[in-house]
Amino acid sequence: YSVADMGRHDHGGHAPGGDASTVPVDELTAPDDREADVRLTLTAAQERVTLASGRDFDGYTLNGSSPGPEIRAVQGQLVEVVLENASVPDGVTLHWHGVDVPGAMDGAAGVTQDAVGVGESFTYRFVADQAGTFWYHSHQVSHEQVLGGLLGPLVITPAAGTGADVDALALAHLYGGRRTVNGRDGEDRVAAEAGDTVRVRVVNTDFGVMPVWVDGAPFRLAAVDGTDLHGPPEIEGKGVEVAAGGRGDLVFVMPESGAVRVNLSASAALLVGEGSVEASAPPDDVLDLLHYGSPAPLGFDPASADREFAFGIGRRPGFLDGKPGFWWTVNGAMAPEVPMFTVAYGDVVRMRITNDSGEAHPMHLHGHHAVVLARDGVAATGSPWWVDSLEVRDGETFEIAFVADNPGIWMDHCHNLPHAAEGLVAHLNYE
Ligand code: C2O
Ligand code: CU
């Protein structure tokens, strides 16, 4: 695979290079000959952003707002987004966080494409294969541009619908250090009536893990990172942790009281219905996703993996871009010196993630979803828990597995994005 050949400006749709003889073509590119079902232009600007509350700050917008517009598609539809850069001097890209797009469409500046300069554009095309909650954000100088609001939600619904009467977003983001929901300071509200089935799609666009809990009704966690948990039981008095970059879909039935409060940390909430419910303290009891929901068949056998990798997160003194510091490492090396994890198309890959770095790291693998098999030596008997964003705390060990079914060069990095800028980046490469 040659990086230079992948997805140059204005050629959205082709990822030439690579050994296409062994890889189905639709794994490499979105179909060029198909009409887009969902089509929009997103114009990025660096400017003063004003929230609904009137609070303003220096940041970034897409089509004049931050967060950018909600993109909705039905599973199977072809999404086409033209990204234009009006005024972002560092250049921009769009990464479809959690969507396993073809390699050339991944939006990783310096890996799958060049950043789109001021006055330039790039066309992204991909088929919305997986139903679920996702988001998009710039992947150029990400720790600044994502923090500054160059992001937005992406929802892919199943053709048969979700069965919800109310389907609401709760995109959390810290602007200027204050938590917002859907771009509103502290709280946002959505209408619902008693008896309605409500699905709330929580998106954590921040750099740290976010506790989520519900006051006013028992709820189910229906999906994590765009993957269904298959008939999970109802939860009461428990919280859910959503990793940085991660998503959690909560489903509940509106009670007779007509008011529910979905807490996104202690500083923000989505209010559902009318009136208000008093906020409770974050529950100490946190849902263990290894033992929740019903395991669906994996479709592969993680016990006979073709590749096994250790992904050891640490920290040591060294030089990064000539600057001395105490930097994050992967297997003892700092980016860009971390050796690539090399796989072949079709491989079953197992990865053992350890963290001895002194801090938590929300690890995000591009282009693939991995199943979590075990945490700290405790294995799930058939895990329903698939992730693209996994909170790995200091001292924790995770066993994950995935199938290498998406050729390209894929970043695997910490989504506490300043950490990625400080060395916590690895790549998955196809031989
Ligand atoms: Cu959401 Cu590589 O990022
Ligand atoms: Cu980190």
Side-chain angles (χ1 to χ4, degrees), residues 261-286:
R261 177 186 181 94
V262 178
N263 299 285
L264 310 167
S265 82
S267 57
L270 181 72
L271 309 179
V272 187
E274 283 180 30
S276 59
V277 187
E278 221 187 300
S280 64
D284 296 325
D285 199 0
V286 170

Side-chain angles (χ1 to χ4, degrees), residues 95 97-98 106 108 135 137 139 142 146 245 364 366 411 413 415 417:
H95 168 59
H97 187 118
D106 194 43
W135 60 298
H137 62 78
H139 218 297
S142 329
V146 174
H364 172 49
H366 286 211
M411 297 182 78
H413 66 89
H415 222 279
L417 295 170

Side-chain angles (χ1 to χ4, degrees), residues 39-359:
R39 174 185 277 139
L40 72 158
T41 297
L42 291 178
T43 302
Q46 183 170 344
E47 59 182 333
R48 195 105 189 127
V49 182
T50 306
L51 300 178
S53 61
R55 187 161 69 86
D56 62 352
F57 55 92
D58 287 320
Y60 303 87
T61 59
L62 286 160
N63 296 357
S65 75
S66 176
E70 175 180 333
I71 303 177
R72 277 215 176 225
V74 176
Q75 191 173 17
Q77 286 188 326
L78 195 140
V79 178
E80 181 178 299
V81 177
V82 180
L83 170 65
E84 293 179 348
N85 181 356
S87 63
V88 184
D90 285 334
V92 289
T93 64
L94 290 178
H95 168 59
W96 311 95
H97 187 118
V99 185
D100 299 337
V101 298
M105 302 289 101
D106 194 43
V111 180
T112 65
Q113 69 170 101
D114 288 338
V116 178
V118 175
E120 294 180 336
S121 74
F122 187 97
T123 302
Y124 296 93
R125 280 167 67 84
F126 58 88
V127 175
D129 280 325
Q130 186 176 355
T133 306
F134 307 96
W135 60 298
Y136 58 88
H137 62 78
S138 182
H139 218 297
Q140 162 75 345
V141 205
S142 329
H143 58 294
E144 282 174 27
Q145 295 190 0
V146 174
L147 186 67
L150 225 167
L151 56 90
L154 166 64
V155 173
I156 302 171
T157 52
T162 60
D165 302 303
V166 176
D167 190 319
L169 262 173
L171 183 144
H173 190 69
L174 284 160
Y175 290 101
R178 274 172 69 183
R179 191 157 258 140
T180 62
V181 187
N182 302 328
R184 295 178 174 270
D185 274 318
E187 288 175 355
D188 193 13
R189 185 182 285 277
V190 63
E193 277 162 30
D196 280 353
T197 298
V198 180
R199 187 179 191 103
V200 174
R201 302 170 180 273
V202 175
V203 185
N204 180 4
T205 67
D206 292 317
F207 297 163
V209 68
M210 183 172 70
V212 176
W213 69 101
V214 176
D215 290 316
F219 70 101
R220 292 177 294 124
L221 181 64
V224 169
D225 287 5
T227 309
D228 210 279
L229 290 177
H230 303 287
E234 242 174 29
I235 315 166
E236 252 187 301
K238 271 191 197 197
V240 169
E241 288 184 331
V242 181
R247 287 86 59 213
D249 292 19
L250 278 54
V251 174
F252 54 86
V253 176
M254 276 307 276
E256 282 307 319
S257 72
V260 168
R261 177 186 181 94
V262 178
N263 299 285
L264 310 167
S265 82
S267 57
L270 181 72
L271 309 179
V272 187
E274 283 180 30
S276 59
V277 187
E278 221 187 300
S280 64
D284 296 325
D285 199 0
V286 170
L287 182 68
D288 173 12
L289 288 169
L290 263 185
H291 302 100
Y292 180 69
S294 316
L298 287 184
F300 64 92
D301 181 8
S304 58
D306 302 292
R307 314 265 168 161
E308 296 195 33
F309 297 120
F311 194 112
I313 305 168
R315 200 173 196 191
R316 68 167 167 80
F319 289 86
L320 190 69
D321 292 333
K323 270 197 316 192
F326 201 45
W327 308 110
W328 308 109
T329 56
V330 179
N331 297 334
M334 274 178 288
E337 261 100 55
V338 180
M340 290 208 188
F341 296 101
T342 300
V343 296
Y345 181 72
D347 277 354
V348 170
V349 183
R350 262 187 95 112
M351 207 176 250
R352 182 182 170 81
I353 306 173
T354 53
N355 178 1
D356 299 305
S357 71
E359 278 188 41

